[in-house]
Amino acid sequence: MNTFSTLQSILISDPLRALWMLLTNVKFALALVFAAVFSGLLGVLIPQIPPEARENTVARAAWLELKHLDFGVWFEFLNALALFDVFHSAWFISLWFVVVVSVTVCTVSRFMPVWRSIHRPQKIVPDSYFEKASHRTKFSYTGEINVVEDKLKRLRYTVEQVEGDTGIPGAKYLFAQRFSWAQYGTFISHLALLMLLLGGLLTALAGDSRTLSLAEKRSAVPLFRDPGPGQIFVEMLDAVKGVDSDGHIIDFRSKFMVRRGDENILCEATVNDPCDAYGYRFHQAAFFDDLALFSITNPEGKLLFEDVLDFENQVALVPVISVIARDGQVLFDEAVPQMATIESAAGMTALAELNLRNGSYTISWRLPSQDNSAENMKVTITGPDLSATELFVGESLSSNLYEVTFKNPLLVPAINVLDMPGVNNEKVTVQLMKDRWGSDYLYAIGLRSDGEGLVLPIDTTWSSEDGFSFTFLERVDGSGIDVRRDPGDTFIWIAIVLGLLGLGITFYIPRRRLWVSFTRSQIFIAGIAPRSIRFEQELRKLGQAITGKSDTQSNEFEDD
């Protein structure tokens, strides 16, 4: 009767036993492993919904619409099987659960046989075993059995005399084993796998992960999308970029307040040193220094806007120019903001104006494209006493009054702001600059009605013709904080420790068992040991130690 027929007959009479047999069946385990690997491969090969879009209905729908265009007629089929969110689908979690149950049953079913093998080993074997064992030897010996027992104990064997089931007159028997507890190594390895699977299942079911963008001077940000009594708010107090005496960045850290209800927890986190609060772990994930605190008031003095202007990592390429007068006085030594751009067949050209003692100088440069980069940047300078002159990085030109040097290109934060309150233009271009003394200022195009650019230093207010006031309050820093709740991480760490322990015991401390038959003229030894050790050599050395003959002939031993 085959396995399927046996299982079918048992299923009718005893369903629980049939289920137990199925979960401990090797073929079923291999099928589960294949299914899990194939499912994981699908999750890797097929694009998955980004975490930030998974809980956002609008973002999720927009992302799926893009995939609809990519996969065409196959989209509906793939989406119906939840293959765009494999690792969070019901069928994948169910498969994972079955794998966990199967490994649990296999682990439990192995415990009692392992325990019996260690604590109730087979101490008596038939005499025929000494002729058929994979590891065996025999040699001549006329001494006492106590000597054999003593030699085995010196080799760290646990030895006991047993009664043999034999008809050989005067025969005596020993059972010896070394590292009997090492048999638990395989059980520990199974337990490690179980802990790993449990950790993964808990993470999939109850884990949570999201990234918050937090800026100084900004109000607290809610952690959860849906409001409720358990809502957690996070407020950035201080985002720090640590530098050493040479100006090298050595670390990033953030100090923030985590609040739930009336309870507050002050946290400080770095990349490698997170903060724990209310069951969540907060890691430093990113650092931003391209944020400007900006305010707008209407003609009646009512505050329309006071928040952080985020440049969103967008940048503009500008040149750093120095101008030195003939008397050695430094007139200008800083980056020149983009004041206008001209589009032509040759590409985009940026323009800036530099006002010096004897008039205005025009500086132009090509914006980088696929064919040229900032490394090959050159500027063209014209002025009252200068014809158009091109300068590459590090080059200088001299006029009757000045020495002008193109020091280097620089990327500065820059963004186009649409529909800014109090502005008639649809778009305002804002650049975050530094002067030669290291002070920050905003350069804005589109605030003024005449189209000219506006320099707005920190704590300076400019009022438009319509009575709206614009103030650059200060430059602020911010951090990206990775927030995680992973109830399975403890199980995973336990699994790693158990796995290393189990594998170490299995491969480096293998168990050995010996059965010794002693007559008045010969000793027969048979043993069991893993294939990873040279047990035949150990038996040969044992024979040499017992007989006291280092030159014992190999033909006195029989090994397979």
Side-chain angles (χ1 to χ4, degrees):
M1 184 178 292
N2 58 34
T3 304
F4 179 78
S5 301
T6 303
L7 188 63
Q8 189 177 28
S9 61
I10 295 176
L11 180 62
I12 298 173
S13 59
D14 192 347
L16 291 179
R17 186 186 172 197
L19 179 62
W20 184 273
M21 290 180 62
L22 177 65
L23 292 174
T24 55
N25 185 273
V26 176
K27 294 181 179 179
F28 181 70
L30 290 175
L32 285 178
V33 171
F34 175 79
V37 171
F38 181 72
S39 302
L41 189 62
L42 289 177
V44 172
L45 297 178
I46 299 175
Q48 301 294 291
I49 296 175
E52 58 272 13
R54 185 174 295 114
E55 298 179 4
N56 189 318
T57 306
V58 177
R60 182 186 180 95
W63 187 90
L64 289 174
E65 187 61 32
L66 291 175
K67 297 302 114 180
H68 197 173
L69 298 176
D70 294 338
F71 288 89
V73 296
W74 290 97
F75 172 79
E76 296 297 340
F77 174 75
L78 296 175
N79 192 37
L81 295 178
L83 294 182
F84 293 114
D85 197 12
V86 170
F87 303 110
H88 295 84
S89 62
W91 63 265
F92 183 82
I93 293 175
S94 300
L95 174 62
W96 199 264
F97 179 77
V98 174
V99 171
V100 170
V101 173
S102 178
V103 173
T104 302
V105 171
C106 288
T107 303
V108 172
S109 66
R110 287 184 64 87
F111 179 74
M112 287 309 298
V114 170
W115 186 90
R116 283 194 297 267
S117 175
I118 294 172
H119 299 281
R120 296 177 183 175
Q122 182 179 353
K123 299 179 181 180
I124 301 173
V125 294
D127 288 332
S128 59
Y129 183 74
F130 293 100
E131 302 294 334
K132 299 177 181 179
S134 298
H135 304 295
R136 65 183 187 273
T137 186
K138 67 178 180 179
F139 51 89
S140 300
Y141 180 69
T142 56
E144 297 294 329
I145 193 172
N146 294 337
V147 176
V148 178
E149 188 174 347
D150 183 60
K151 294 294 183 182
L152 288 172
K153 288 181 178 179
R154 289 185 180 183
L155 293 173
R156 291 178 292 177
Y157 279 87
T158 302
V159 186
E160 60 178 301
Q161 293 192 27
V162 296
E163 295 294 333
D165 184 13
T166 177
I168 301 177
K172 296 181 180 180
Y173 296 89
L174 297 177
F175 171 71
Q177 58 179 341
R178 181 181 176 187
F179 303 133
S180 61
W181 51 267
Q183 197 79 20
Y184 282 122
T186 56
F187 177 77
I188 293 174
S189 299
H190 277 76
L191 191 60
L193 177 60
L194 176 60
M195 291 293 104
L196 185 64
L197 294 173
L198 278 174
L201 185 62
L202 283 174
T203 298
L205 293 176
D208 190 15
S209 176
R210 62 194 67 207
T211 300
L212 301 178
S213 295
L214 305 175
E216 301 168 349
K217 311 296 182 180
R218 178 176 275 179
S219 57
V221 174
L223 180 60
F224 310 123
R225 192 175 305 277
D226 299 324
Q231 180 65 274
I232 296 175
F233 294 90
V234 186
E235 180 182 3
M236 178 60 63
L237 303 178
D238 190 20
V240 180
K241 176 173 65 176
V243 296
D244 59 17
S245 57
D246 297 325
H248 300 136
I249 299 174
I250 55 175
D251 75 330
F252 296 101
R253 61 183 182 275
S254 298
K255 184 180 291 185
F256 48 92
M257 187 70 70
V258 184
R259 174 169 55 87
R260 184 173 66 180
D262 296 330
E263 185 179 358
N264 294 296
I265 296 178
L266 180 62
C267 274
E268 183 168 352
T270 65
V271 175
N272 298 317
D273 188 14
C275 173
D276 295 309
Y278 306 117
Y280 286 82
R281 179 160 290 181
F282 297 79
H283 281 269
Q284 174 97 21
F287 178 82
F288 317 109
D289 58 358
D290 58 347
L291 307 172
L293 187 60
F294 192 70
S295 70
I296 304 173
T297 57
N298 66 6
E300 290 76 31
K302 183 180 179 180
L303 187 65
L304 300 179
F305 176 88
E306 183 174 312
D307 204 349
V308 171
L309 179 61
D310 187 354
F311 288 86
E312 300 175 358
N313 293 323
Q314 299 183 42
V315 294
L317 178 67
V318 299
V320 177
I321 302 294
S322 72
V323 180
I324 302 176
R326 285 299 178 184
D327 59 4
Q329 183 180 1
V330 178
L331 302 179
F332 190 88
D333 188 11
E334 60 189 75
V336 180
Q338 291 185 20
M339 299 180 181
T341 55
I342 299 175
E343 185 174 4
S344 64
M348 296 290 294
T349 301
L351 301 175
E353 190 175 73
L354 188 59
N355 295 315
L356 299 176
R357 293 172 179 173
N358 64 326
S360 297
Y361 288 74
T362 301
I363 303 174
S364 63
W365 63 94
R366 286 278 303 278
L367 296 179
S369 63
Q370 293 181 349
D371 300 325
N372 60 84
S373 64
E375 297 177 358
N376 303 318
M377 180 181 175
K378 64 180 179 180
V379 299
T380 302
I381 303 177
T382 60
D385 57 344
L386 287 176
S387 58
T389 305
E390 291 184 345
L391 295 178
F392 286 92
V393 175
E395 292 184 342
S396 302
L397 64 84
S398 297
S399 68
N400 296 329
L401 298 175
Y402 313 111
E403 181 180 356
V404 182
T405 303
F406 173 27
K407 299 180 71 173
N408 59 272
L410 182 67
L411 294 174
V412 298
I415 192 171
N416 293 320
V417 182
L418 303 178
D419 299 324
M420 182 179 286
V423 180
N424 295 325
N425 295 317
E426 293 182 359
K427 180 180 71 173
V428 176
T429 302
V430 184
Q431 299 170 65
L432 181 56
M433 310 291 298
K434 278 186 180 292
D435 60 23
R436 59 174 163 153
W437 296 281
S439 299
D440 297 299
Y441 69 91
L442 295 180
Y443 187 84
I445 304 171
L447 287 181
R448 295 174 54 140
S449 58
D450 57 7
E452 294 291 326
L454 174 68
V455 175
L456 200 60
I458 289 178
D459 286 334
T460 301
T461 299
W462 176 82
S463 297
S464 67
E465 295 177 355
D466 297 330
F468 290 88
S469 297
F470 303 83
T471 305
F472 175 29
L473 298 172
E474 62 178 309
R475 182 172 184 161
V476 297
D477 297 327
S479 296
I481 302 297
D482 183 49
V483 187
R484 293 179 181 270
R485 181 184 63 193
D486 189 1
D489 62 349
T490 302
F491 288 88
I492 292 173
W493 281 113
I494 293 175
I496 292 173
V497 174
L498 290 177
L500 293 174
L501 180 62
L503 292 175
I505 292 174
T506 301
F507 288 107
Y508 296 102
I509 315 177
R511 182 186 185 187
R512 300 159 172 84
R513 282 173 286 178
L514 292 176
W515 291 269
V516 180
S517 174
F518 174 72
T519 65
R520 294 184 178 181
S521 60
Q522 278 190 319
I523 288 183
F524 297 84
I525 300 178
I528 296 177
R531 296 175 181 268
S532 58
I533 66 172
R534 298 178 178 179
F535 202 39
E536 292 85 359
Q537 275 190 358
E538 291 191 15
L539 292 179
R540 188 172 288 113
K541 290 179 180 180
L542 175 61
Q544 293 171 354
I546 293 173
T547 59
K549 299 178 182 179
S550 59
D551 59 343
T552 304
Q553 298 298 317
S554 59
N555 59 11
E556 292 184 61
F557 300 89
E558 296 180 5
D559 303 308
D560 285 347

